Amino acid sequence: MSETDGPGRSAGGPVVALVPAAGRGVRLGEDKPKAFVAVGGTPMVRLAVDGLIDSGAVDEIIVMVPAELVESAGALLPLSCSVRVVVGGAERTDSVRAGIAAAPDAGYFLVHDAARALAPPDLIARVSAELHAGYPAVVPALPVVDTVKTVNPDGVVTGTPDRAALRAIQTPQGFAADLLRAAYASDVPATDDAGLVERLGVAVRTILGDPLAFKITNPLDLRLADAVLAHTETPAVGTR
C-alpha cells in the first residue's frame, strides 16, 4: 500500500455501501450474530447503517444478513434512505460477493463492517471523496502504536518489523465498482477487501482513519463501545 500513489481512473455512477452482517461473532460470546448485538441499546448493524446515511456520501446501502434474519433486519433498519437487505453467505467474502451481485449499476462500492459500528460519518465521507477524486482503491488506516513481532508456528519470535511502515486498516474500504467486481471474480477467501485488490496489482491508497472506527470483536470492545456512546455529546444514532 502507498499513501502517495497517484490517482486512477474514476468509475462514475452511484456509491453503494455493502455492509456484511452475516458473521456469527463467536469471540463476542453472544447468542446471536454479532451485527445484531446491541451497543448502547441499538444493534450494531443499525448504528453502522445510520453512520453511512449521516455521511451524505452514499446513494444506496445493501446489508447482507443470514437468511433467517432478513425480515427482522429489514424491521431494524431506517426507511429514510435506499436500504436493502439481501441474504449473505457463510464467509465474509460470500456476503460481499452477494452484495456486489445485487448492485450491477454501482459506480463505486464502500465495504463497511457492521462491527465498526461507531465509524464517524466524516470518515465515510472522506473515503468517498477520495474515490471521486480518481483513486480506484481507498482504505482508512491508523499508525500502529504497539511493537509488532513475527513468530513461527511454535510461537518463537522471528523478527520485529519497523512499525513506522505499518498501518492498522479499518473500514469503510472504497473501490471503483469494476475493480471490486474483478477482485471478487476468484474464490480466494479474504478478511480484507483491499487484499484481494492488491492481488490484481492495483495500488491501494490509504487515508487517515479514526480511533472510533475500531472493530467490536470481543466483550471488552463491546464495553468500550457502550462507554463511548454513553459519553458522547452528540445525539445518538440509531433513533431515526
Side-chain angles (χ1 to χ4, degrees), residues 57-131:
V58 174
D59 298 301
E60 184 178 19
I61 300 169
I62 300 176
V63 183
M64 296 80 76
V65 304
E68 68 273 17
L69 292 176
V70 169
E71 185 174 344
S72 57
L76 281 174
L77 299 175
L79 301 177
S80 58
C81 182
S82 180
V83 180
R84 284 192 284 152
V85 179
V86 302
V87 177
E91 303 294 335
R92 186 183 185 280
T93 46
D94 299 324
S95 290
V96 175
R97 192 173 285 111
I100 291 171
D105 298 325
Y108 304 95
F109 285 117
L110 298 183
V111 187
H112 187 37
D113 292 335
R116 297 186 188 272
L118 304 186
D122 172 70
L123 175 63
I124 298 164
R126 287 192 288 113
V127 172
S128 180
E130 292 292 306
L131 289 174

Side-chain angles (χ1 to χ4, degrees), residues 156-180:
V156 176
V157 171
T158 58
T160 306
D162 179 6
R163 67 184 182 190
L166 299 177
R167 297 292 184 273
I169 302 303
Q170 302 177 319
T171 72
Q173 297 187 1
F175 307 94
D178 286 346
L179 176 59
L180 193 64

